[in-house]
Amino acid sequence: MPRLFNPSVKLTDNDVTDESVYAQRRQLLKSMGFIGLGSLMSQPASAFGWFTDDDEEKSVFQTRDLDYTRNKKFAIDETLTPYDKVSSFNNFYEFGTDKGDPVENAQGFNVDPWSLTIDGLVEQPLTLNYEDLYSKFALEERIYRMRCVEAWSMVIPWTGFQLSSLLAAAKPLSSAKYVAFQTLYDPKQMPGQKSRFVGGGIDYPYVEGLRIDEAAHPLTMLSVGVYGKTLPPQNGAPIRLVVPWKYGFKSIKSVVKITLTDKEPPTTWKRLAHQEYGFYANVNPAVDHPRWSQASERRITTGGLFNQKRIPTLPFNGYEEVASLYTGMDLTRNY
Amino acid sequence: MKTLFNRPVRLTKLQVNGIKAFYHSLALGYLVWLFMAGVNDNLGGDPVEALLHSSGIIALLMLFFSLCLSHFARRLPCGDLIKCRRMAGVYVFVYGLFHLFTYIAFELQFDMSLVAEEIVSRPYILVGMLALLILFALTITSPMIVRKRMRQKWQPLHNLVYLALVLIVLHYTWSLKTAWQEPVYYWIAAVVLIALRFTKLKKF
């Protein structure tokens, strides 16, 4: 006698797919495909970021035109990095660690009123307010190479004035050997200062320093603008340092305080990882970062993947005139 | 063991194939979109960095997903999900390979002496390469015919996926200037996934 068929899976009426659904099964699968495709197509033109919140459109920080002259001495014959790249690819951990974060998170940054004080070992302590930044010193445009410690570089037209002019106005005492700089500390405006997680675990405020002869060098400038307009916040509005022969992290942003001292001031990245980032941080193809080579760099200009240029990195980022500042120094040890 | 449903969720062949087709179109579609956006300079300030970062992160997320599949299969339960695991795993390798290709082709511009030097002298790149080698070994041994030939040797080899997981998270953490970022979450996820499999892994 044949045995009674005993199914291994016991199904009841509840398991039956509703006929209306069954009849649409091909349609359902198709529409699933379209939803998938559609979500791909509607992706904004930004790369994948998992922990970034895509909130609503924010109003863009307003910049304005500056009055300045072009300094022909610093006009170099290299392709400029376009403004949209200069202003959208930034390391400014106060606004997030991803290089796309600052442009996203800094648009509401308030720069007026601003106060920049110069104090310490000076005869004449100074305080510059927002208007002073643009009017106290004649502004000029200089085109500088900017080499990041991460082995990429840009060519940027900065508008500003020599730091030496400001130092001269403050009249440094002969005991002053170093210049210390400090970024604004305002956790309300800078999410990276509020949360260690957003700010990469750095102790804020961000601080930097130069030897006084480096600070007084004619190449060292304080920039208040880029591409002829006032700086957007992601580039360090309203005023930032630019030291073209040193890695980018030396060029501190949104400066509120400049103090002349007689001993080497602490600097943020050296404090965080002194075996990787030194006080001098001169661009030097012969001294590698412990985790990557500094012998060459990728120049960021226009163009996609197939228009990339990798170029050799030059000692002092090509600004050989500063070499005399370091005669007799071992630059492998003083990296 | 607690399961979400009392009875196993069964998937028909059509449904399994549907899920696979969906995953294929998503994974391949995103890769193509990413590459084309990079070619057309639509990936923000630096397309190379964006491509490098995205392909790496997605490979890691896909690895998390593929390792979660067996847990979903047991806890729903829905054994049919295991049928999608190989595909999910192979895409981890595909994205990882694309990540390496981007590094060599666009970051280092095919400067092969620099490539060799960087792989040997930079520990975080070496760690990434090791992880990719493991994924390569898992990928070429993933066809059923190879699996059958390997018999009892197959499972110990494929348990190395957890080593690859640790190496990949280490590679990512090490590549950043500060570790106090996303890697914190990824380390937690990796530890949880390994802990869930700890008794099984201990046997090998």
Side-chain angles (χ1 to χ4, degrees):
Chain A
M1 200 179 97
R3 274 202 304 182
L4 196 67
F5 175 63
N6 187 19
S8 64
V9 180
K10 296 192 172 59
L11 296 171
T12 68
D13 281 354
N14 282 336
D15 295 304
V16 177
T17 305
D18 193 74
E19 194 183 347
S20 63
V21 176
Y22 176 76
Q24 291 178 43
R25 65 197 184 281
R26 284 154 211 270
Q27 199 55 43
L28 277 173
L29 271 180
K30 258 187 217 158
S31 60
M32 264 167 71
F34 283 126
I35 291 165
L37 200 65
S39 65
L40 278 177
M41 298 301 211
S42 62
Q43 283 277 355
S46 68
F48 188 84
W50 191 245
F51 296 99
T52 53
D53 42 338
D54 298 283
D55 29 4
E56 69 294 345
E57 287 279 305
K58 288 180 194 133
S59 59
V60 178
F61 181 89
Q62 292 301 308
T63 58
R64 57 184 166 81
D65 290 326
L66 289 168
D67 278 327
Y68 62 92
T69 52
R70 287 218 158 89
N71 190 331
K72 293 265 166 28
K73 229 173 86 189
F74 300 102
I76 49 177
D77 188 25
E78 287 172 52
T79 313
L80 294 184
T81 305
Y83 178 78
D84 63 335
K85 297 216 169 191
V86 172
S87 61
S88 66
F89 191 74
N90 312 93
N91 275 319
F92 199 173
Y93 281 20
E94 281 83 342
F95 293 103
T97 52
D98 191 273
K99 278 180 274 293
D101 285 344
V103 67
E104 281 277 313
N105 300 334
Q107 297 308 308
F109 188 56
N110 190 19
V111 295
D112 185 12
W114 194 263
S115 155
L116 169 62
T117 60
I118 298 91
D119 60 11
L121 301 173
V122 291
E123 257 176 60
Q124 186 64 60
L126 296 171
T127 301
L128 303 187
N129 65 29
Y130 180 75
E131 287 306 322
D132 295 337
L133 300 179
Y134 308 98
S135 57
K136 268 254 155 109
F137 305 94
L139 301 180
E140 60 176 35
E141 184 182 81
R142 297 177 175 192
I143 299 171
Y144 278 165
R145 288 179 286 271
M146 212 282 297
R147 168 62 155 81
C148 180
V149 74
E150 296 165 3
W152 52 266
S153 64
M154 293 184 174
V155 182
I156 305 170
W158 299 108
T159 315
F161 51 88
Q162 276 181 212
L163 176 58
S164 61
S165 320
L166 178 62
L167 292 178
K171 299 188 183 133
L173 300 173
S174 58
S175 53
K177 298 282 182 284
Y178 292 92
V179 186
F181 302 84
Q182 188 181 313
T183 296
L184 176 71
Y185 183 72
D186 186 354
K188 279 204 195 81
Q189 290 206 77
M190 294 172 152
Q193 294 178 339
K194 200 159 51 186
S195 147
R196 282 184 75 74
F197 192 76
V198 178
I202 286 176
D203 284 326
Y204 293 104
Y206 194 95
V207 287
E208 258 307 336
L210 294 172
R211 229 167 49 190
I212 196 154
D213 55 341
E214 296 175 322
H217 194 277
L219 277 173
T220 307
M221 74 188 287
L222 283 170
S223 165
V224 294
V226 64
Y227 271 97
K229 287 175 181 291
T230 53
L231 289 172
Q234 61 271 29
N235 293 86
I239 187 160
R240 64 166 299 164
L241 185 68
V242 180
V243 196
W245 74 91
K246 290 174 183 283
Y247 292 122
F249 66 86
K250 292 297 284 185
S251 295
I252 183 171
K253 292 170 170 148
S254 304
V255 182
V256 291
K257 201 168 164 192
I258 299 177
T259 308
L260 284 86
T261 75
D262 53 0
K263 54 178 197 282
E264 188 186 293
T267 57
T268 292
W269 280 102
K270 186 181 174 186
R271 217 159 45 184
L272 198 80
H274 61 91
Q275 70 286 4
E276 299 190 333
Y277 313 100
F279 175 79
Y280 286 95
N282 292 320
V283 176
N284 190 346
V287 178
D288 282 350
H289 185 282
R291 289 181 283 150
W292 52 82
S293 165
Q294 297 290 28
S296 59
E297 67 205 45
R298 209 154 38 73
R299 177 61 57 81
I300 295 175
T301 54
T302 43
L305 293 174
F306 291 105
N307 293 306
Q308 297 296 318
K309 268 202 311 273
R310 200 166 182 95
I311 54 176
T313 292
L314 302 171
F316 301 111
N317 203 18
Y319 299 95
E320 296 278 4
E321 60 264 49
V322 300
S324 60
L325 296 176
Y326 308 101
T327 35
M329 267 178 75
D330 180 355
L331 293 178
T332 310
R333 287 183 60 202
N334 295 290
Y335 52 88
Chain B
M1 189 175 63
K2 278 227 160 74
T3 57
L4 189 62
F5 301 108
N6 291 327
R7 279 178 297 116
V9 181
R10 301 301 301 261
L11 297 174
T12 63
K13 201 162 170 61
L14 184 74
Q15 283 166 325
V16 170
N17 286 341
I19 292 173
K20 279 190 182 174
F22 181 65
Y23 199 82
H24 275 299
S25 60
L26 216 60
L28 281 177
Y30 195 72
L31 199 62
V32 171
W33 176 85
L34 207 56
F35 185 70
M36 290 320 291
V39 169
N40 297 320
D41 199 14
N42 279 328
L43 280 180
D46 183 5
V48 180
E49 205 221 18
L51 203 62
L52 209 54
H53 183 73
S54 300
S55 55
I57 289 294
I58 292 177
L60 176 59
L61 293 176
M62 283 176 152
L63 181 56
F64 279 130
F65 174 72
S66 65
L67 293 176
C68 285
L69 270 182
S70 44
H71 294 291
F72 289 147
R74 282 180 340 142
R75 305 269 164 164
L76 280 172
C78 177
D80 294 326
L81 280 181
I82 293 297
K83 291 174 189 161
C84 303
R85 198 169 54 167
R86 178 173 65 183
M87 169 196 66
V90 170
Y91 270 117
V92 179
F93 175 66
V94 170
Y95 270 77
L97 196 63
F98 185 69
H99 181 68
L100 176 68
F101 169 73
T102 304
Y103 180 66
I104 293 174
F106 303 121
E107 178 67 42
L108 301 184
Q109 303 279 303
F110 289 114
D111 180 345
M112 294 321 274
S113 62
L114 186 58
V115 172
E117 192 197 313
E118 292 286 271
I119 290 175
V120 175
S121 59
R122 316 283 163 212
Y124 82 101
I125 295 174
L126 191 67
V127 163
M129 283 303 295
L130 278 177
L132 196 63
L133 278 179
I134 293 176
L135 293 175
F136 174 67
L138 303 192
T139 302
I140 55 165
T141 56
S142 66
M144 204 40 99
I145 184 161
V146 181
R147 182 177 180 164
K148 278 186 178 144
R149 283 243 180 107
M150 288 181 71
R151 294 163 194 256
Q152 305 98 315
K153 288 185 202 135
W154 190 86
Q155 189 60 54
L157 177 70
H158 280 246
N159 285 343
L160 287 180
V161 73
Y162 285 93
L163 177 61
L165 173 67
V166 172
L167 293 175
I168 290 170
V169 181
L170 179 65
H171 166 73
Y172 179 42
T173 312
W174 218 338
S175 74
L176 297 171
K177 281 204 294 192
T178 67
W180 195 251
Q181 301 175 37
E182 284 94 331
V184 179
Y185 289 143
Y186 295 136
W187 278 113
I188 293 171
V191 166
V192 168
L193 277 168
I194 291 168
L196 285 172
R197 285 288 195 175
F198 192 66
T199 41
K200 194 186 160 208
L201 289 172
K202 222 164 48 175
K203 279 187 241 157
F204 292 95

